[in-house]
Amino acid sequence: MAFAAVRASAVGFATAPRSPVQQLARGRVACRSTAKEGELTGVVFEPFTAVQGELAVVDRAPTSASYARVDFHPECEAAINEQINIEYNVSYVYHSLYAYFSRDNVALPGIAAFFKKESEEERHHAELLMDYQNLRGGRVKLQSIMMPEMEFFHTEKGEALYAFELALSLEKLNFQKLRALHEVAEKHGDSQMCDFIEGDLLADQADAVKEFAEFVSQLRRVGTGLGVFEFDRQMAARQ
């Protein structure tokens, strides 16, 4: 009878559910029992081992090279420099439009102020790309800028419509160039560069195309006389 009680007690102890703490402690003991002395178990990433290759690259890098460059393909670097040149060229054209509409015999100050602002905006885009090039460890290489036209008079359309049609074409071309830049980044699996182009450049460029298209539509309605004068006043009010 006593033996049966002891056996029942032992069985009860063996089958009693363990608390989470007991289960965790049991797992730790089992882990220790299979590990060698001084060895860590369950470690997937060993930083001091994994970093040796990159450490060697940094150690051998000359002072003339970027220390920040990592997974930045030379084709991406070259494509960014090309886009910088595109932004500066567009800025230069808009600056020439600003100068034209500021003339005393043209006298459309609202349109002139608008193109001056757009010129500064395109130059800002170029600077964004330059900052990004430096961020990724690339080298900024400025290229030649083409001399823009300085005369925008058009007998049939008038200078205002002609200028905005030209500007719309430039904005659409720039959008296509940014898409091509994005494709270069995508080709080389550079998701960070893709994110930069999408977030800082492409979204604004799509808005600019829409805005210039609306200006062209309005100028086609108003003709070349008093309507352009009123359009200019509205452009001045926007600044």
Side-chain angles (χ1 to χ4, degrees):
M1 189 73 175
F3 174 78
V6 170
R7 185 174 183 277
S9 175
V11 171
F13 174 78
T15 58
R18 297 184 178 89
S19 69
V21 175
Q22 290 174 323
Q23 291 174 359
L24 180 61
R26 185 173 182 273
R28 286 175 177 168
V29 171
C31 181
R32 289 198 192 108
S33 64
T34 58
K36 296 179 181 179
E37 186 67 26
E39 180 182 350
L40 294 175
T41 61
V43 176
V44 177
F45 176 62
E46 299 181 4
F48 291 103
T49 301
V51 80
Q52 291 305 311
E54 192 61 42
L55 181 60
V57 172
V58 173
D59 185 58
R60 292 194 301 268
T63 55
S64 59
S66 169
Y67 300 149
R69 187 168 188 142
V70 55
D71 295 336
F72 190 45
H73 198 276
E75 189 176 356
C76 293
E77 179 182 3
I80 288 175
N81 281 328
E82 182 181 347
Q83 187 62 36
I84 291 170
N85 182 255
I86 291 168
E87 301 289 347
Y88 271 126
N89 271 282
V90 175
S91 173
Y92 211 27
V93 172
Y94 288 165
H95 224 177
S96 70
L97 285 165
Y98 154 68
Y100 176 84
F101 285 103
S102 295
R103 292 179 185 176
D104 66 283
N105 62 332
V106 179
L108 293 171
I111 296 177
F114 173 79
F115 279 117
K116 181 181 181 182
K117 179 177 70 69
E118 290 301 311
S119 176
E120 293 168 352
E121 179 72 15
E122 297 302 327
R123 190 161 64 251
H124 172 65
H125 290 164
E127 291 169 356
L128 274 178
L129 287 157
M130 293 168 73
D131 290 341
Y132 184 79
Q133 186 82 291
N134 287 331
L135 174 71
R136 294 296 302 274
R139 286 293 180 90
V140 173
K141 294 182 179 179
L142 297 180
Q143 304 168 30
S144 299
I145 300 176
M146 296 295 294
M147 184 178 70
E149 293 183 19
M150 294 302 299
E151 300 296 330
F152 299 97
F153 178 77
H154 195 284
T155 305
E156 297 177 2
K157 298 179 179 180
E159 59 266 269
L161 177 57
Y162 175 68
F164 275 93
E165 285 182 345
L166 173 63
L168 173 60
S169 301
L170 286 171
E171 293 295 329
K172 292 170 76 172
L173 177 63
N174 204 0
F175 180 80
Q176 293 168 348
K177 293 295 185 181
L178 287 172
R179 287 282 306 274
L181 180 63
H182 187 279
E183 287 172 5
V184 171
E186 200 170 26
K187 171 185 173 183
H188 296 290
D190 198 327
S191 56
Q192 203 279 332
M193 182 172 166
C194 288
D195 181 69
F196 163 70
I197 297 167
E198 292 169 9
D200 289 40
L201 296 169
L202 266 176
D204 286 346
Q205 194 61 37
D207 290 339
V209 170
K210 174 68 160 47
E211 182 182 41
F212 277 85
E214 290 174 348
F215 291 150
V216 169
S217 297
Q218 292 167 10
L219 284 167
R220 285 182 175 178
R221 288 194 183 96
V222 302
T224 59
L226 183 61
V228 174
F229 176 75
E230 183 59 32
F231 178 86
D232 182 75
R233 289 181 61 188
Q234 293 183 14
M235 293 296 287
R238 291 167 57 98
Q239 308 309 313

